[in-house]
Protein backbone atom coordinates (compact mmCIF):
# COMPACT_ATOMS: atom_id res chain seq x y z
CA UNK A 1 0.00 0.00 0.00
CA UNK A 2 1.55 3.34 -1.01
CA UNK A 3 0.96 6.05 1.53
CA UNK A 4 1.42 9.77 1.05
CA UNK A 5 2.95 10.59 4.45
CA UNK A 6 3.86 14.13 3.32
CA UNK A 7 0.18 14.84 3.09
CA UNK A 8 -1.17 12.65 5.89
CA UNK A 9 1.51 12.83 8.60
CA UNK A 10 2.43 16.45 9.25
CA UNK A 11 1.50 17.08 12.89
CA UNK A 12 3.96 16.62 15.78
CA UNK A 13 2.30 17.67 19.05
CA UNK A 14 5.05 16.43 21.42
CA UNK A 15 8.47 17.93 20.65
CA UNK A 16 11.66 17.41 22.64
CA UNK A 17 13.86 20.53 22.49
CA UNK A 18 16.99 19.24 24.26
CA UNK A 19 16.30 21.06 27.53
CA UNK A 20 12.50 21.29 27.57
CA UNK A 21 9.41 19.51 26.28
CA UNK A 22 7.20 21.50 23.94
CA UNK A 23 3.53 20.49 23.80
CA UNK A 24 0.75 21.71 21.55
CA UNK A 25 -1.91 22.72 24.11
CA UNK A 26 -4.90 20.53 23.20
CA UNK A 27 -7.22 22.40 25.53
CA UNK A 28 -7.22 25.40 23.19
CA UNK A 29 -7.57 23.73 19.78
CA UNK A 30 -8.94 24.50 17.27
CA UNK A 31 -9.42 28.11 18.41
CA UNK A 32 -5.74 28.66 19.09
CA UNK A 33 -2.49 26.81 18.30
CA UNK A 34 -0.48 27.61 21.43
CA UNK A 35 2.62 25.72 22.54
CA UNK A 36 3.59 25.24 26.16
CA UNK A 37 7.09 24.50 27.43
CA UNK A 38 7.54 22.03 30.29
CA UNK A 39 10.80 22.63 32.12
CA UNK A 40 10.57 19.93 34.79
CA UNK A 41 8.79 16.67 35.62
CA UNK A 42 6.22 18.50 37.76
CA UNK A 43 5.11 20.61 34.80
CA UNK A 44 4.94 17.49 32.62
CA UNK A 45 2.76 15.78 35.25
CA UNK A 46 0.44 18.76 35.32
CA UNK A 47 0.19 18.89 31.52
CA UNK A 48 -0.92 15.24 31.52
CA UNK A 49 -3.37 15.68 34.41
CA UNK A 50 -4.94 18.83 32.92
CA UNK A 51 -5.23 17.31 29.40
CA UNK A 52 -2.88 19.80 27.72
CA UNK A 53 -1.57 16.54 26.28
CA UNK A 54 -3.87 13.51 26.08
CA UNK A 55 -4.34 10.25 24.20
CA UNK A 56 -2.80 7.05 25.54
CA UNK A 57 0.43 6.87 23.47
CA UNK A 58 1.10 10.61 23.72
CA UNK A 59 0.73 10.45 27.49
CA UNK A 60 3.32 7.65 27.68
CA UNK A 61 5.79 9.46 25.43
CA UNK A 62 5.34 12.71 27.34
CA UNK A 63 5.91 10.98 30.68
CA UNK A 64 9.16 9.43 29.39
CA UNK A 65 10.42 12.93 28.56
CA UNK A 66 9.38 14.01 32.07
CA UNK A 67 11.79 11.42 33.48
CA UNK A 68 14.54 12.77 31.21
CA UNK A 69 13.95 16.29 32.54
CA UNK A 70 14.23 15.03 36.14
CA UNK A 71 17.52 13.26 35.29
CA UNK A 72 18.97 16.31 33.55
CA UNK A 73 18.19 18.50 36.56
CA UNK A 74 19.47 16.03 39.13
CA UNK A 75 15.97 15.90 40.65
CA UNK A 76 14.68 12.75 42.35
CA UNK A 77 13.85 10.24 39.65
CA UNK A 78 11.81 8.13 42.06
CA UNK A 79 9.64 11.14 42.84
CA UNK A 80 9.27 11.97 39.13
CA UNK A 81 8.29 8.38 38.33
CA UNK A 82 5.72 8.30 41.15
CA UNK A 83 4.18 11.70 40.28
CA UNK A 84 3.95 10.94 36.58
CA UNK A 85 2.47 7.50 37.20
CA UNK A 86 -0.34 8.99 39.27
CA UNK A 87 -1.23 11.65 36.69
CA UNK A 88 -3.99 9.57 35.04
CA UNK A 89 -5.13 6.01 35.86
CA UNK A 90 -6.62 4.34 32.78
CA UNK A 91 -4.20 4.56 29.84
CA UNK A 92 -1.63 1.84 30.51
CA UNK A 93 0.83 3.39 28.03
CA UNK A 94 1.71 5.78 30.85
CA UNK A 95 2.77 2.97 33.20
CA UNK A 96 4.37 1.05 30.32
CA UNK A 97 6.60 3.98 29.32
CA UNK A 98 7.55 4.74 32.92
CA UNK A 99 8.41 1.07 33.52
CA UNK A 100 10.72 1.20 30.50
CA UNK A 101 12.45 4.28 31.88
CA UNK A 102 12.65 2.64 35.31
CA UNK A 103 14.44 -0.40 33.88
CA UNK A 104 17.03 1.94 32.31
CA UNK A 105 17.49 3.83 35.57
CA UNK A 106 17.96 0.54 37.43
CA UNK A 107 20.63 -0.41 34.86
CA UNK A 108 22.50 2.80 35.71
CA UNK A 109 21.47 4.93 32.71
CA UNK A 110 22.60 8.56 32.79
CA UNK A 111 20.54 11.47 31.42
CA UNK A 112 21.89 10.94 27.89
CA UNK A 113 20.91 7.26 27.92
CA UNK A 114 17.45 8.12 29.24
CA UNK A 115 17.10 10.68 26.47
CA UNK A 116 17.86 7.97 23.91
CA UNK A 117 15.26 5.70 25.51
CA UNK A 118 12.53 8.37 25.46
CA UNK A 119 13.36 9.09 21.81
CA UNK A 120 13.13 5.35 21.05
CA UNK A 121 9.69 5.18 22.71
CA UNK A 122 8.54 8.10 20.55
CA UNK A 123 10.06 6.75 17.31
CA UNK A 124 8.69 3.23 17.87
CA UNK A 125 5.20 4.64 18.36
CA UNK A 126 5.29 6.43 15.01
CA UNK A 127 6.56 3.30 13.26
CA UNK A 128 3.84 1.19 14.93
CA UNK A 129 1.14 3.62 13.81
CA UNK A 130 2.29 3.56 10.19
CA UNK A 131 2.33 -0.24 10.20
CA UNK A 132 -1.10 -0.47 11.86
CA UNK A 133 -2.43 1.95 9.27
CA UNK A 134 -1.61 -0.53 6.53
CA UNK A 135 -2.89 -3.56 8.45
CA UNK A 136 -6.16 -1.90 9.43
CA UNK A 137 -6.85 -0.35 6.03
CA UNK A 138 -6.40 -3.82 4.51
CA UNK A 139 -9.53 -4.96 6.36
CA UNK A 140 -11.73 -2.28 4.82
CA UNK A 141 -13.57 -2.80 1.52
CA UNK A 142 -13.38 -0.05 -1.15
CA UNK A 143 -15.95 2.78 -0.98
CA UNK A 144 -16.59 2.33 2.74
CA UNK A 145 -17.87 4.83 5.26
CA UNK A 146 -16.46 4.78 8.79
CA UNK A 147 -17.31 6.27 12.15
CA UNK A 148 -14.67 7.15 14.74
CA UNK A 149 -14.80 8.38 18.31
CA UNK A 150 -12.60 10.65 20.41
CA UNK A 151 -9.22 11.68 18.97
CA UNK A 152 -6.72 9.00 18.05
CA UNK A 153 -4.66 10.96 15.57
CA UNK A 154 -1.28 12.69 15.53
CA UNK A 155 -2.32 14.71 18.57
CA UNK A 156 -2.82 11.54 20.62
CA UNK A 157 0.38 9.77 19.50
CA UNK A 158 3.91 10.37 18.17
CA UNK A 159 2.28 11.02 14.79
CA UNK A 160 -0.15 9.66 12.16
CA UNK A 161 -2.40 8.08 14.79
CA UNK A 162 -3.89 4.70 15.66
CA UNK A 163 -7.54 4.54 14.56
CA UNK A 164 -7.04 7.81 12.70
CA UNK A 165 -3.91 6.30 11.13
CA UNK A 166 -6.03 3.47 9.74
CA UNK A 167 -8.51 6.06 8.49
CA UNK A 168 -5.70 8.09 6.86
CA UNK A 169 -4.31 4.96 5.23
CA UNK A 170 -7.79 3.86 4.15
CA UNK A 171 -8.54 7.25 2.57
CA UNK A 172 -5.14 7.33 0.87
CA UNK A 173 -5.74 3.83 -0.56
CA UNK A 174 -9.22 4.74 -1.81
CA UNK A 175 -10.96 2.33 0.55
CA UNK A 176 -12.65 4.95 2.74
CA UNK A 177 -14.87 7.53 1.05
CA UNK A 178 -16.50 9.21 4.01
CA UNK A 179 -15.51 9.66 7.65
CA UNK A 180 -17.90 10.50 10.47
CA UNK A 181 -16.58 11.69 13.82
CA UNK A 182 -18.61 11.73 17.03
CA UNK A 183 -18.16 14.96 18.95
CA UNK A 184 -17.16 13.06 22.15
CA UNK A 185 -18.85 14.85 25.00
CA UNK A 186 -17.90 16.25 27.38
CA UNK A 187 -14.37 17.21 26.37
CA UNK A 188 -15.14 17.26 22.63
CA UNK A 189 -12.00 15.46 21.45
CA UNK A 190 -13.88 14.46 18.28
CA UNK A 191 -15.32 17.89 17.51
CA UNK A 192 -12.30 19.96 18.49
CA UNK A 193 -9.34 17.69 17.69
CA UNK A 194 -10.30 14.95 15.21
CA UNK A 195 -12.15 17.37 12.94
CA UNK A 196 -9.13 19.72 13.10
CA UNK A 197 -6.85 16.91 11.93
CA UNK A 198 -9.24 15.65 9.24
CA UNK A 199 -9.91 19.10 7.79
CA UNK A 200 -6.14 19.87 7.70
CA UNK A 201 -5.62 16.68 5.69
CA UNK A 202 -8.50 17.39 3.32
CA UNK A 203 -10.25 14.15 4.31
CA UNK A 204 -14.03 14.10 3.64
CA UNK A 205 -15.42 14.19 7.18
CA UNK A 206 -18.67 15.03 8.89
CA UNK A 207 -19.15 15.69 12.58
CA UNK A 208 -22.10 14.02 14.28
CA UNK A 209 -23.58 14.46 17.73
CA UNK A 210 -22.68 11.39 19.82
CA UNK A 211 -26.38 10.64 20.05
CA UNK A 212 -26.69 10.41 16.22
CA UNK A 213 -24.51 7.28 15.99
CA UNK A 214 -27.23 4.58 15.97
CA UNK A 215 -29.27 6.55 13.46
CA UNK A 216 -26.18 6.82 11.23
CA UNK A 217 -25.51 3.08 11.45
CA UNK A 218 -29.09 2.28 10.60
CA UNK A 219 -28.80 4.36 7.41
CA UNK A 220 -26.19 1.93 6.04
CA UNK A 221 -23.59 4.61 5.30
CA UNK A 222 -20.89 3.24 7.62
CA UNK A 223 -19.37 -0.24 7.40
CA UNK A 224 -16.85 0.11 10.24
CA UNK A 225 -16.56 1.82 13.59
CA UNK A 226 -12.83 2.41 14.16
CA UNK A 227 -11.57 3.45 17.60
CA UNK A 228 -8.37 3.53 19.65
CA UNK A 229 -7.79 2.16 23.12
CA UNK A 230 -6.42 3.19 26.48
CA UNK A 231 -5.94 -0.32 27.81
CA UNK A 232 -6.59 -3.74 26.31
CA UNK A 233 -6.93 -6.50 28.92
CA UNK A 234 -5.63 -10.06 28.54
CA UNK A 235 -9.02 -11.29 27.29
CA UNK A 236 -9.38 -8.51 24.69
CA UNK A 237 -11.78 -6.32 26.69
CA UNK A 238 -10.92 -2.76 25.75
CA UNK A 239 -11.10 0.48 27.71
CA UNK A 240 -11.52 3.56 25.56
CA UNK A 241 -13.18 6.96 25.68
CA UNK A 242 -16.60 7.05 27.28
CA UNK A 243 -19.23 6.31 24.63
CA UNK A 244 -17.19 3.63 22.86
CA UNK A 245 -19.13 0.78 24.51
CA UNK A 246 -22.49 2.05 23.29
CA UNK A 247 -21.05 2.39 19.76
CA UNK A 248 -19.97 -1.28 19.88
CA UNK A 249 -23.43 -2.39 20.99
CA UNK A 250 -25.09 -0.34 18.26
CA UNK A 251 -22.59 -1.58 15.66
CA UNK A 252 -23.32 -5.25 16.44
CA UNK A 253 -27.08 -4.57 16.27
CA UNK A 254 -26.74 -2.97 12.82
CA UNK A 255 -24.21 -5.39 11.33
CA UNK A 256 -21.49 -2.73 11.32
CA UNK A 257 -17.96 -4.03 12.02
CA UNK A 258 -16.01 -2.76 15.04
CA UNK A 259 -12.21 -2.26 14.92
CA UNK A 260 -9.86 -1.34 17.79
CA UNK A 261 -6.45 0.01 16.76
CA UNK A 262 -3.68 0.28 19.36
CA UNK A 263 0.06 -0.34 19.69
CA UNK A 264 1.27 -3.21 21.87
CA UNK A 265 2.13 -0.61 24.55
CA UNK A 266 -1.65 -0.38 25.15
CA UNK A 267 -1.97 -4.11 25.78
CA UNK A 268 -1.88 -5.03 29.46
CA UNK A 269 -1.60 -8.80 29.87
CA UNK A 270 -1.36 -8.32 33.66
CA UNK A 271 -4.98 -7.15 33.70
CA UNK A 272 -7.16 -10.24 33.24
CA UNK A 273 -10.35 -8.52 32.03
CA UNK A 274 -12.08 -5.19 31.65
CA UNK A 275 -13.52 -5.53 35.17
CA UNK A 276 -10.02 -4.95 36.53
CA UNK A 277 -9.38 -1.69 34.65
CA UNK A 278 -9.37 1.49 36.73
CA UNK A 279 -11.81 3.89 35.05
CA UNK A 280 -10.92 7.55 35.51
CA UNK A 281 -13.59 9.75 37.06
CA UNK A 282 -13.06 13.42 36.31
CA UNK A 283 -14.45 16.62 37.78
CA UNK A 284 -18.26 16.83 37.32
CA UNK A 285 -17.68 20.47 36.40
CA UNK A 286 -16.58 19.24 32.93
CA UNK A 287 -20.21 18.17 32.37
CA UNK A 288 -21.92 21.09 34.01
CA UNK A 289 -20.39 23.74 31.77
CA UNK A 290 -19.61 24.25 28.09
CA UNK A 291 -16.48 26.27 27.23
CA UNK A 292 -16.34 27.54 30.79
CA UNK A 293 -19.97 28.73 30.78
CA UNK A 294 -22.26 26.97 33.24
CA UNK A 295 -25.14 25.37 31.33
CA UNK A 296 -26.79 23.37 34.12
CA UNK A 297 -28.81 24.76 37.00
CA UNK A 298 -26.77 25.62 40.11
CA UNK A 299 -27.01 22.85 42.67
CA UNK A 300 -27.19 20.08 40.04
CA UNK A 301 -24.80 17.14 40.39
CA UNK A 302 -23.10 15.08 37.66
CA UNK A 303 -21.27 11.76 37.26
CA UNK A 304 -18.31 11.95 34.87
CA UNK A 305 -16.55 8.66 34.06
CA UNK A 306 -14.32 9.40 31.05
CA UNK A 307 -13.69 5.83 29.85
CA UNK A 308 -15.76 2.68 29.46
CA UNK A 309 -15.01 -0.95 28.66
CA UNK A 310 -16.09 -2.66 25.46
CA UNK A 311 -16.29 -6.45 25.98
CA UNK A 312 -14.11 -8.47 23.62
CA UNK A 313 -17.12 -10.26 22.12
CA UNK A 314 -18.30 -6.97 20.56
CA UNK A 315 -14.94 -6.39 18.82
CA UNK A 316 -14.39 -7.77 15.30
CA UNK A 317 -10.69 -6.91 15.05
CA UNK A 318 -7.90 -5.63 17.27
CA UNK A 319 -5.15 -4.17 15.09
CA UNK A 320 -1.68 -3.84 16.63
CA UNK A 321 1.75 -3.44 15.04
CA UNK A 322 2.36 -7.12 15.84
CA UNK A 323 -0.61 -8.23 13.77
CA UNK A 324 -4.40 -8.37 13.64
CA UNK A 325 -6.54 -10.39 16.05
CA UNK A 326 -9.97 -11.14 14.65
CA UNK A 327 -12.71 -11.96 17.20
CA UNK A 328 -10.33 -11.47 20.16
CA UNK A 329 -10.30 -13.76 23.18
CA UNK A 330 -7.78 -14.82 25.83
CA UNK A 331 -6.24 -17.52 23.66
CA UNK A 332 -5.67 -15.28 20.66
CA UNK A 333 -4.33 -12.48 22.88
CA UNK A 334 -1.98 -14.94 24.58
CA UNK A 335 -0.68 -16.15 21.20
CA UNK A 336 0.34 -12.61 20.17
CA UNK A 337 1.25 -11.02 23.51
CA UNK A 338 1.90 -13.87 25.94
O1 LIG B 1 -9.11 11.40 27.81
P1 LIG B 1 -8.28 11.22 26.58
O2 LIG B 1 -8.52 12.28 25.56
O3 LIG B 1 -6.82 11.03 26.92
O4 LIG B 1 -8.79 9.85 25.94
C1 LIG B 1 -8.26 9.43 24.73
C2 LIG B 1 -8.87 8.20 24.19
O5 LIG B 1 -9.74 7.61 24.79
C3 LIG B 1 -8.29 7.65 22.92
O6 LIG B 1 -9.27 7.01 22.17
C4 LIG B 1 -7.18 6.65 23.27
O7 LIG B 1 -6.28 7.21 24.18
C5 LIG B 1 -6.45 6.20 22.08
S1 LIG B 1 -5.44 7.49 21.41
C6 LIG B 1 -4.52 6.84 20.15
Amino acid sequence: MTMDYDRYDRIRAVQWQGDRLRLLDQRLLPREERWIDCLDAGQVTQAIRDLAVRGAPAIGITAAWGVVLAAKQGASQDLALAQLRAARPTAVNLMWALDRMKVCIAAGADAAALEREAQAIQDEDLAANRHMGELGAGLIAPHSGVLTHCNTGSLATAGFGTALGVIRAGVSAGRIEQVYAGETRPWQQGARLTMWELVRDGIPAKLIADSAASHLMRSGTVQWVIVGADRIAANGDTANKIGTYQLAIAARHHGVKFMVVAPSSTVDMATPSGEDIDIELRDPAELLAVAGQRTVVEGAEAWNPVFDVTPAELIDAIVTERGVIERPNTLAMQALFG
Side-chain angles (χ1 to χ4, degrees), residues 54-57 88 150-152 156-157 162 189 228-230 240-241 307:
R54 33 64 50 204
R88 294 189 74 187
C150 196
N151 172 265
T152 61
T157 63
T162 57
Q189 288 94 330
D230 289 84
N240 190 49
K241 179 54 55 193
F307 299 100

Side-chain angles (χ1 to χ4, degrees), residues 14 21 80 126 145 193 196 224 235 325:
V14 178
L21 185 65
L126 179 61
L193 308 177
W196 181 76
W224 282 92
N235 68 346
I325 299 180

Side-chain angles (χ1 to χ4, degrees), residues 174-242:
R175 288 167 184 259
I176 296 176
E177 272 179 3
Q178 182 67 50
V179 181
Y180 294 86
E183 63 180 343
T184 320
R185 281 281 296 151
W187 214 70
Q188 310 248 33
Q189 288 94 330
R192 295 191 304 103
L193 308 177
T194 299
M195 290 304 290
W196 181 76
E197 291 200 38
L198 290 169
V199 167
R200 274 176 70 117
D201 282 8
I203 291 174
K206 288 192 170 97
L207 181 69
I208 61 164
D210 295 322
S211 43
S214 294
H215 184 61
L216 172 72
M217 291 184 210
R218 188 176 196 155
S219 73
T221 36
V222 295
Q223 284 67 48
W224 282 92
V225 174
I226 309 179
V227 297
D230 289 84
R231 189 183 295 231
I232 302 176
N235 68 346
D237 288 356
T238 294
N240 190 49
K241 179 54 55 193
I242 192 77

